[in-house]
Structures are given as structure tokens and as C-alpha cells.
Amino acid sequence: FPVTIQGQADVVEEILRIYGYNNIELPQRMSTSVVSSPKPDKEKLQNLASDFLSSRGFVEIINNSLTKAVYYSSGEFSPSTVVKILNPLSQELNTMRQTLFFGGMEVMEWNQNRKVSNVKAYEFGNVYFKEDKSTQVVKDLKRLQGYSERRMLGLFMTGNTAPETWYQNDKPVSLYLIKAEVMSIFKRMYRDW
């Protein structure tokens, strides 16, 4: 029968087949090592989501983890959980972010000011919290001396879903469209994982 040899392993296999597998002595003791990897692999999931979003026309953005304290001075953010920088380089960047929302909105505003209205963007980034003694922060956060960090994904869309043509009116982006994109990510993760 024909033999196809394409690499070093094929040569060794053919020599062993000719010599005979039964003629090879096995050692008295064999040891193996089992390598366990965490499931799910966070990097693989992030790469899968990133590739999927990029294939759907999204652009990846990366914002600074340092942000303005004024964003967290009112609203749903507790002042006791804000991580402030002790020696900030500027008053604009004196706090660690607790959400990806404000950075994403700054990117959308920057594009709108330059007449780029149809933008689809996503960002993977860490958010930071100081643990408040009166409230418990989510259990899955990494804990380091009273501070917590977690990885998040932010999706941002503005403008129209497609440019206006002679047969189709422009259709503005809506909350339902973003929800559909999120559901598509979950379906893709479920299918490929």
C-alpha cells in the first residue's frame, strides 16, 4: 500500500511499523502530567466575541481607565465606591472608571463633532471599585486589599443602520437593534463553545 510521508512523525511511524510495535520495550514506570485549564477560557471567549463583532461591522475602541470624577459624583454611583487617584496627572483624569459607558459616549461625541454619524463600536475593558463597608460588591470580582476589578464589554451604536438608498429609507439605530446584537453574541458563544 502507498506510504505518504510528510513530516518527522511519519518517518518515525514507518520505522516503528517495519521494526514492529511489539519489539519496543516499555519502561517499568510511566508518568504523565495533567494540565487543567479554566473553563471557560476568558481570552478565547473575548477573541471569539471580538471577531464576531468585527465581522458585523463594529470597530474596537480602547479608552483610558482613568476618567473624570464628575461622571461619578451623582446618579447611581456611590461616592464611597469610587477609586480616586492620590496623585493625578490632571484634574481630567483623576478617577478609575466604574463603567465603560462614559468613555464610549466620549468616542461617539468625538465622531459626531466630525460629521461621522453612523458608528458601531465595542470595547472590552476593566472597571474598578473600592469596596464599601456598608454594601457587598458582586462576589465574582477580584479582591485586592479592599479594591475590586472586573472585565466588561460595552457596545455603542449611533446614526443609521444603513445609508439611505433609492429603495430604502434610512433606519435609525434603536435599543432593540443593540439588544439583537447582544443576543447574537450569546448565540455565537453558545454555538462555538
Short mmCIF file of all heavy atoms in Angstrom, two decimals, residues 138-181:
data_model
loop_
_atom_site.label_atom_id
_atom_site.label_comp_id
_atom_site.label_asym_id
_atom_site.label_seq_id
_atom_site.Cartn_x
_atom_site.Cartn_y
_atom_site.Cartn_z
N VAL A 138 -20.34 42.65 44.02
CA VAL A 138 -20.59 41.34 43.42
C VAL A 138 -19.47 40.37 43.78
O VAL A 138 -18.29 40.73 43.76
CB VAL A 138 -20.68 41.50 41.88
CG1 VAL A 138 -20.96 40.19 41.21
CG2 VAL A 138 -21.74 42.52 41.53
N LYS A 139 -19.82 39.11 44.05
CA LYS A 139 -18.87 38.13 44.57
C LYS A 139 -17.79 37.74 43.58
O LYS A 139 -16.71 37.35 43.97
CB LYS A 139 -19.61 36.88 45.03
CG LYS A 139 -20.45 37.10 46.25
CD LYS A 139 -21.14 35.82 46.65
CE LYS A 139 -22.02 36.07 47.87
NZ LYS A 139 -22.73 34.87 48.27
N ASP A 140 -18.05 37.81 42.26
CA ASP A 140 -17.08 37.33 41.30
C ASP A 140 -15.97 38.34 41.01
O ASP A 140 -15.13 38.11 40.16
CB ASP A 140 -17.77 36.93 39.99
CG ASP A 140 -18.35 38.13 39.26
OD1 ASP A 140 -18.66 39.14 39.89
OD2 ASP A 140 -18.50 38.01 38.05
N LEU A 141 -15.94 39.45 41.69
CA LEU A 141 -14.90 40.45 41.46
C LEU A 141 -13.59 40.00 42.10
O LEU A 141 -13.57 39.38 43.15
CB LEU A 141 -15.31 41.80 42.06
CG LEU A 141 -16.61 42.39 41.54
CD1 LEU A 141 -16.89 43.72 42.22
CD2 LEU A 141 -16.55 42.60 40.05
N LYS A 142 -12.50 40.32 41.46
CA LYS A 142 -11.19 40.04 42.04
C LYS A 142 -10.99 41.00 43.21
O LYS A 142 -11.22 42.19 43.09
CB LYS A 142 -10.09 40.25 41.00
CG LYS A 142 -10.17 39.34 39.83
CD LYS A 142 -9.08 39.69 38.83
CE LYS A 142 -9.25 38.93 37.57
NZ LYS A 142 -8.32 39.35 36.54
N ARG A 143 -10.53 40.49 44.32
CA ARG A 143 -10.39 41.33 45.51
C ARG A 143 -8.90 41.54 45.81
O ARG A 143 -8.13 40.60 45.84
CB ARG A 143 -11.07 40.69 46.70
CG ARG A 143 -12.55 40.49 46.46
CD ARG A 143 -13.24 40.06 47.73
NE ARG A 143 -14.62 39.72 47.49
CZ ARG A 143 -15.58 40.59 47.26
NH1 ARG A 143 -15.32 41.87 47.24
NH2 ARG A 143 -16.80 40.20 47.06
N LEU A 144 -8.50 42.77 46.02
CA LEU A 144 -7.14 43.11 46.35
C LEU A 144 -7.16 44.27 47.33
O LEU A 144 -7.39 45.41 46.93
CB LEU A 144 -6.34 43.46 45.09
CG LEU A 144 -4.91 43.91 45.31
CD1 LEU A 144 -4.07 42.78 45.87
CD2 LEU A 144 -4.32 44.42 44.02
N GLN A 145 -6.97 43.98 48.59
CA GLN A 145 -6.87 44.99 49.63
C GLN A 145 -8.01 46.01 49.57
O GLN A 145 -7.78 47.21 49.55
CB GLN A 145 -5.52 45.70 49.55
CG GLN A 145 -4.35 44.77 49.69
CD GLN A 145 -3.04 45.47 49.42
OE1 GLN A 145 -3.00 46.66 49.15
NE2 GLN A 145 -1.96 44.74 49.49
N GLY A 146 -9.23 45.53 49.50
CA GLY A 146 -10.37 46.43 49.52
C GLY A 146 -10.75 47.01 48.17
O GLY A 146 -11.65 47.85 48.11
N TYR A 147 -10.09 46.61 47.10
CA TYR A 147 -10.41 47.09 45.75
C TYR A 147 -10.83 45.91 44.88
O TYR A 147 -10.35 44.80 45.07
CB TYR A 147 -9.22 47.80 45.13
CG TYR A 147 -8.86 49.07 45.86
CD1 TYR A 147 -7.90 49.08 46.85
CD2 TYR A 147 -9.50 50.26 45.56
CE1 TYR A 147 -7.57 50.24 47.53
CE2 TYR A 147 -9.19 51.43 46.23
CZ TYR A 147 -8.23 51.41 47.21
OH TYR A 147 -7.92 52.56 47.88
N SER A 148 -11.70 46.19 43.93
CA SER A 148 -12.20 45.14 43.05
C SER A 148 -12.07 45.57 41.60
O SER A 148 -12.12 46.76 41.29
CB SER A 148 -13.68 44.86 43.36
OG SER A 148 -13.83 44.48 44.69
N GLU A 149 -11.94 44.58 40.74
CA GLU A 149 -11.78 44.83 39.31
C GLU A 149 -12.55 43.75 38.56
O GLU A 149 -12.56 42.60 38.97
CB GLU A 149 -10.29 44.74 38.96
CG GLU A 149 -9.96 44.72 37.52
CD GLU A 149 -8.47 44.52 37.27
OE1 GLU A 149 -7.69 44.52 38.22
OE2 GLU A 149 -8.12 44.34 36.11
N ARG A 150 -13.21 44.13 37.47
CA ARG A 150 -13.86 43.13 36.64
C ARG A 150 -13.84 43.56 35.18
O ARG A 150 -13.76 44.74 34.87
CB ARG A 150 -15.26 42.79 37.13
CG ARG A 150 -16.33 43.71 36.68
CD ARG A 150 -17.68 43.23 37.15
NE ARG A 150 -18.33 44.37 37.74
CZ ARG A 150 -19.56 44.41 38.15
NH1 ARG A 150 -20.28 43.35 38.11
NH2 ARG A 150 -20.06 45.50 38.63
N ARG A 151 -13.92 42.58 34.30
CA ARG A 151 -13.85 42.79 32.85
C ARG A 151 -15.27 42.97 32.32
O ARG A 151 -16.17 42.23 32.70
CB ARG A 151 -13.20 41.57 32.22
CG ARG A 151 -12.78 41.76 30.82
CD ARG A 151 -11.34 42.16 30.80
NE ARG A 151 -10.85 42.22 29.44
CZ ARG A 151 -10.15 43.21 28.99
NH1 ARG A 151 -9.82 44.20 29.77
NH2 ARG A 151 -9.73 43.22 27.76
N MET A 152 -15.45 43.94 31.42
CA MET A 152 -16.77 44.20 30.85
C MET A 152 -16.67 44.40 29.34
O MET A 152 -15.58 44.66 28.81
CB MET A 152 -17.38 45.44 31.49
CG MET A 152 -17.64 45.30 32.97
SD MET A 152 -18.51 46.71 33.64
CE MET A 152 -20.18 46.22 33.31
N LEU A 153 -17.80 44.29 28.69
CA LEU A 153 -17.93 44.57 27.25
C LEU A 153 -18.96 45.67 27.09
O LEU A 153 -20.04 45.60 27.66
CB LEU A 153 -18.38 43.31 26.50
CG LEU A 153 -18.84 43.49 25.06
CD1 LEU A 153 -17.71 43.99 24.17
CD2 LEU A 153 -19.42 42.20 24.51
N GLY A 154 -18.62 46.68 26.31
CA GLY A 154 -19.55 47.77 26.01
C GLY A 154 -19.82 47.82 24.51
O GLY A 154 -18.89 47.74 23.70
N LEU A 155 -21.09 47.95 24.13
CA LEU A 155 -21.49 48.12 22.73
C LEU A 155 -22.06 49.51 22.56
O LEU A 155 -22.88 49.94 23.37
CB LEU A 155 -22.56 47.10 22.34
CG LEU A 155 -22.15 45.65 22.24
CD1 LEU A 155 -23.36 44.79 21.87
CD2 LEU A 155 -21.06 45.45 21.23
N PHE A 156 -21.65 50.19 21.49
CA PHE A 156 -22.09 51.55 21.23
C PHE A 156 -22.48 51.67 19.76
O PHE A 156 -21.74 51.25 18.88
CB PHE A 156 -20.98 52.55 21.56
CG PHE A 156 -20.42 52.38 22.94
CD1 PHE A 156 -19.26 51.64 23.15
CD2 PHE A 156 -21.05 52.94 24.02
CE1 PHE A 156 -18.75 51.47 24.41
CE2 PHE A 156 -20.54 52.78 25.30
CZ PHE A 156 -19.40 52.04 25.50
N MET A 157 -23.66 52.24 19.52
CA MET A 157 -24.12 52.45 18.15
C MET A 157 -24.80 53.81 18.06
O MET A 157 -25.49 54.23 18.99
CB MET A 157 -25.13 51.37 17.75
CG MET A 157 -24.54 49.97 17.71
SD MET A 157 -25.76 48.69 17.37
CE MET A 157 -26.08 48.99 15.65
N THR A 158 -24.58 54.48 16.95
CA THR A 158 -25.23 55.76 16.72
C THR A 158 -25.48 55.93 15.23
O THR A 158 -24.85 55.27 14.41
CB THR A 158 -24.36 56.93 17.25
OG1 THR A 158 -25.08 58.14 17.10
CG2 THR A 158 -23.05 57.03 16.54
N GLY A 159 -26.42 56.80 14.90
CA GLY A 159 -26.71 57.08 13.49
C GLY A 159 -27.74 56.13 12.93
O GLY A 159 -28.70 55.76 13.59
N ASN A 160 -27.52 55.72 11.68
CA ASN A 160 -28.45 54.84 10.98
C ASN A 160 -27.82 53.47 10.79
O ASN A 160 -26.60 53.32 10.76
CB ASN A 160 -28.81 55.43 9.62
CG ASN A 160 -29.54 56.74 9.76
OD1 ASN A 160 -30.40 56.90 10.62
ND2 ASN A 160 -29.18 57.70 8.92
N THR A 161 -28.68 52.47 10.62
CA THR A 161 -28.17 51.11 10.42
C THR A 161 -27.55 50.93 9.04
O THR A 161 -26.64 50.15 8.88
CB THR A 161 -29.30 50.08 10.59
OG1 THR A 161 -30.35 50.38 9.67
CG2 THR A 161 -29.85 50.11 12.00
N ALA A 162 -28.08 51.66 8.06
CA ALA A 162 -27.55 51.58 6.70
C ALA A 162 -27.78 52.93 6.02
O ALA A 162 -28.70 53.65 6.37
CB ALA A 162 -28.25 50.47 5.92
N PRO A 163 -26.94 53.28 5.05
CA PRO A 163 -27.16 54.55 4.34
C PRO A 163 -28.45 54.51 3.53
O PRO A 163 -28.88 53.46 3.06
CB PRO A 163 -25.93 54.67 3.45
CG PRO A 163 -25.36 53.32 3.34
CD PRO A 163 -25.76 52.56 4.57
N GLU A 164 -29.04 55.67 3.34
CA GLU A 164 -30.28 55.78 2.58
C GLU A 164 -30.00 55.53 1.10
O GLU A 164 -29.01 56.01 0.55
CB GLU A 164 -30.87 57.17 2.77
CG GLU A 164 -32.20 57.35 2.10
CD GLU A 164 -32.79 58.72 2.36
OE1 GLU A 164 -32.10 59.56 2.95
OE2 GLU A 164 -33.94 58.94 1.97
N THR A 165 -30.86 54.74 0.48
CA THR A 165 -30.74 54.45 -0.96
C THR A 165 -32.07 54.77 -1.62
O THR A 165 -33.05 55.12 -0.96
CB THR A 165 -30.38 52.97 -1.20
OG1 THR A 165 -31.41 52.15 -0.65
CG2 THR A 165 -29.04 52.62 -0.57
N TRP A 166 -32.15 54.59 -2.94
CA TRP A 166 -33.37 54.91 -3.67
C TRP A 166 -34.51 53.96 -3.33
O TRP A 166 -35.67 54.28 -3.47
CB TRP A 166 -33.11 54.91 -5.17
CG TRP A 166 -32.68 53.57 -5.71
CD1 TRP A 166 -31.42 53.09 -5.80
CD2 TRP A 166 -33.53 52.55 -6.22
NE1 TRP A 166 -31.40 51.84 -6.32
CE2 TRP A 166 -32.70 51.48 -6.59
CE3 TRP A 166 -34.90 52.41 -6.39
CZ2 TRP A 166 -33.20 50.29 -7.13
CZ3 TRP A 166 -35.39 51.24 -6.93
CH2 TRP A 166 -34.54 50.19 -7.30
N TYR A 167 -34.18 52.75 -2.82
CA TYR A 167 -35.23 51.77 -2.49
C TYR A 167 -35.43 51.57 -0.99
O TYR A 167 -36.30 50.83 -0.58
CB TYR A 167 -34.94 50.43 -3.17
CG TYR A 167 -33.65 49.79 -2.71
CD1 TYR A 167 -33.63 48.92 -1.63
CD2 TYR A 167 -32.47 50.02 -3.39
CE1 TYR A 167 -32.46 48.33 -1.21
CE2 TYR A 167 -31.29 49.43 -2.99
CZ TYR A 167 -31.29 48.58 -1.90
OH TYR A 167 -30.13 48.00 -1.48
N GLN A 168 -34.63 52.23 -0.19
CA GLN A 168 -34.73 52.03 1.26
C GLN A 168 -34.45 53.33 1.99
O GLN A 168 -33.45 53.99 1.72
CB GLN A 168 -33.71 50.96 1.69
CG GLN A 168 -33.67 50.71 3.17
CD GLN A 168 -32.61 49.67 3.52
OE1 GLN A 168 -32.02 49.04 2.66
NE2 GLN A 168 -32.36 49.52 4.80
N ASN A 169 -35.34 53.69 2.91
CA ASN A 169 -35.12 54.87 3.75
C ASN A 169 -34.10 54.54 4.83
O ASN A 169 -33.90 53.37 5.18
CB ASN A 169 -36.43 55.31 4.41
CG ASN A 169 -37.40 55.87 3.40
OD1 ASN A 169 -37.00 56.34 2.34
ND2 ASN A 169 -38.68 55.81 3.71
N ASP A 170 -33.47 55.58 5.35
CA ASP A 170 -32.52 55.34 6.44
C ASP A 170 -33.30 54.92 7.69
O ASP A 170 -34.39 55.40 7.96
CB ASP A 170 -31.65 56.56 6.70
CG ASP A 170 -32.46 57.82 6.91
OD1 ASP A 170 -33.68 57.78 6.69
OD2 ASP A 170 -31.87 58.84 7.28
N LYS A 171 -32.72 53.97 8.41
CA LYS A 171 -33.36 53.43 9.60
C LYS A 171 -32.47 53.73 10.80
O LYS A 171 -31.33 53.25 10.86
CB LYS A 171 -33.53 51.91 9.44
CG LYS A 171 -34.28 51.25 10.54
CD LYS A 171 -34.45 49.77 10.22
CE LYS A 171 -35.12 49.06 11.36
NZ LYS A 171 -35.18 47.62 11.13
N PRO A 172 -32.95 54.55 11.75
CA PRO A 172 -32.09 54.91 12.87
C PRO A 172 -31.84 53.75 13.82
O PRO A 172 -32.65 52.83 13.94
CB PRO A 172 -32.86 56.03 13.57
CG PRO A 172 -34.27 55.88 13.13
CD PRO A 172 -34.24 55.20 11.80
N VAL A 173 -30.70 53.80 14.49
CA VAL A 173 -30.34 52.79 15.48
C VAL A 173 -31.31 52.89 16.65
O VAL A 173 -31.71 53.97 17.05
CB VAL A 173 -28.89 53.02 15.96
CG1 VAL A 173 -28.55 52.13 17.12
CG2 VAL A 173 -27.92 52.80 14.83
N SER A 174 -31.68 51.74 17.22
CA SER A 174 -32.58 51.73 18.36
C SER A 174 -32.06 50.78 19.43
O SER A 174 -31.13 50.00 19.19
CB SER A 174 -33.98 51.29 17.93
OG SER A 174 -33.97 49.93 17.55
N LEU A 175 -32.67 50.84 20.57
CA LEU A 175 -32.30 49.95 21.67
C LEU A 175 -32.53 48.50 21.28
O LEU A 175 -31.77 47.62 21.67
CB LEU A 175 -33.12 50.30 22.92
CG LEU A 175 -32.88 49.44 24.14
CD1 LEU A 175 -31.45 49.62 24.64
CD2 LEU A 175 -33.86 49.77 25.24
N TYR A 176 -33.55 48.25 20.47
CA TYR A 176 -33.85 46.89 20.05
C TYR A 176 -32.77 46.32 19.14
O TYR A 176 -32.49 45.13 19.15
CB TYR A 176 -35.22 46.84 19.37
CG TYR A 176 -36.33 47.25 20.30
CD1 TYR A 176 -36.97 48.46 20.15
CD2 TYR A 176 -36.70 46.43 21.37
CE1 TYR A 176 -37.98 48.86 21.02
CE2 TYR A 176 -37.70 46.82 22.24
CZ TYR A 176 -38.34 48.03 22.07
OH TYR A 176 -39.31 48.41 22.93
N LEU A 177 -32.15 47.17 18.36
CA LEU A 177 -31.06 46.72 17.50
C LEU A 177 -29.84 46.34 18.33
O LEU A 177 -29.19 45.32 18.06
CB LEU A 177 -30.70 47.82 16.49
CG LEU A 177 -29.68 47.43 15.44
CD1 LEU A 177 -30.20 46.29 14.59
CD2 LEU A 177 -29.35 48.62 14.57
N ILE A 178 -29.54 47.11 19.35
CA ILE A 178 -28.42 46.77 20.24
C ILE A 178 -28.74 45.46 20.97
O ILE A 178 -27.87 44.60 21.14
CB ILE A 178 -28.13 47.92 21.22
CG1 ILE A 178 -27.63 49.13 20.44
CG2 ILE A 178 -27.11 47.49 22.28
CD1 ILE A 178 -27.37 50.35 21.28
N LYS A 179 -29.99 45.30 21.41
CA LYS A 179 -30.39 44.06 22.07
C LYS A 179 -30.20 42.87 21.13
O LYS A 179 -29.74 41.81 21.54
CB LYS A 179 -31.85 44.16 22.52
CG LYS A 179 -32.35 42.90 23.18
CD LYS A 179 -33.82 42.99 23.52
CE LYS A 179 -34.31 41.66 24.05
NZ LYS A 179 -35.76 41.66 24.25
N ALA A 180 -30.56 43.04 19.86
CA ALA A 180 -30.38 41.97 18.88
C ALA A 180 -28.91 41.61 18.71
O ALA A 180 -28.56 40.43 18.57
CB ALA A 180 -30.98 42.37 17.54
N GLU A 181 -28.04 42.61 18.74
CA GLU A 181 -26.59 42.34 18.63
C GLU A 181 -26.09 41.56 19.85
O GLU A 181 -25.30 40.63 19.71
CB GLU A 181 -25.81 43.65 18.49
CG GLU A 181 -26.07 44.40 17.20
CD GLU A 181 -25.54 43.69 15.96
OE1 GLU A 181 -24.73 42.75 16.07
OE2 GLU A 181 -25.95 44.10 14.86
#
